[in-house]
Amino acid sequence: MKVEGWLFLGCGIFFGGSDVVYWYLSKDPTGTTALALAVALAVLIGFYVLFTGRRLPTRPEDNPQADIAEGTGEIGFFSPHSWWPLFVAAAGAVAAAGLAIGWWLFLIGMLFTVFASIGFVFEYYRGHFAH
């Protein structure tokens, strides 16, 4: 996880330099604040990944002498045929459109988002594919 952590910290340094140059050339407080938040987010993620990576065992990706076969095995369970991500995205789109159109549509979109998220989370607890 060292590579990922240093990559995020490098992005934070790049965004920091870009932020200083942007502020000096434009004096725009909105863009400067947005870039400062990007710096903070990149440094936060980089620090977290490096801090967590020290506590975990070494991965095959972190060992330059590792064989490809060391990285084999089960990674996790991925749903092969779920429709719920489509419903969550559509409900989120309705909620986002509600921010531009009106609060009534935003509330309807949030209600749909809650129902779609519940369906997505509990998809494998009921019906034909229940565990």
Side-chain angles (χ1 to χ4, degrees):
M1 299 197 35
K2 289 181 181 179
V3 174
E4 293 92 345
W6 287 110
L7 183 67
F8 275 105
L9 288 178
C11 286
I13 292 169
F14 173 76
F15 290 150
S18 299
D19 192 20
V20 170
V21 171
Y22 182 81
W23 174 81
Y24 181 73
L25 293 176
S26 71
K27 305 287 193 232
D28 176 30
T30 306
T32 304
T33 304
L35 279 171
L37 291 173
V39 169
L41 186 63
V43 169
L44 179 76
I45 293 172
F47 174 75
Y48 174 77
V49 169
L50 284 174
F51 183 76
T52 305
R54 286 189 297 155
R55 300 167 145 201
L56 298 175
T58 305
R59 302 179 308 167
E61 293 88 0
D62 294 332
N63 184 4
Q65 303 300 323
D67 293 329
I68 294 174
E70 292 180 32
T72 60
E74 183 176 334
I75 296 174
F77 175 74
F78 302 98
S79 182
H81 59 300
S82 177
W83 283 88
W84 287 107
L86 178 67
F87 297 138
V88 172
V94 170
L99 290 174
I101 295 173
W103 285 103
W104 60 273
L105 186 60
F106 174 75
L107 294 175
I108 291 171
M110 288 308 296
L111 181 70
F112 287 160
T113 302
V114 168
F115 286 142
S117 298
I118 290 171
F120 193 17
V121 169
F122 293 108
E123 175 179 13
Y124 287 101
Y125 286 94
R126 50 187 298 268
H128 180 66
F129 299 105
H131 290 169

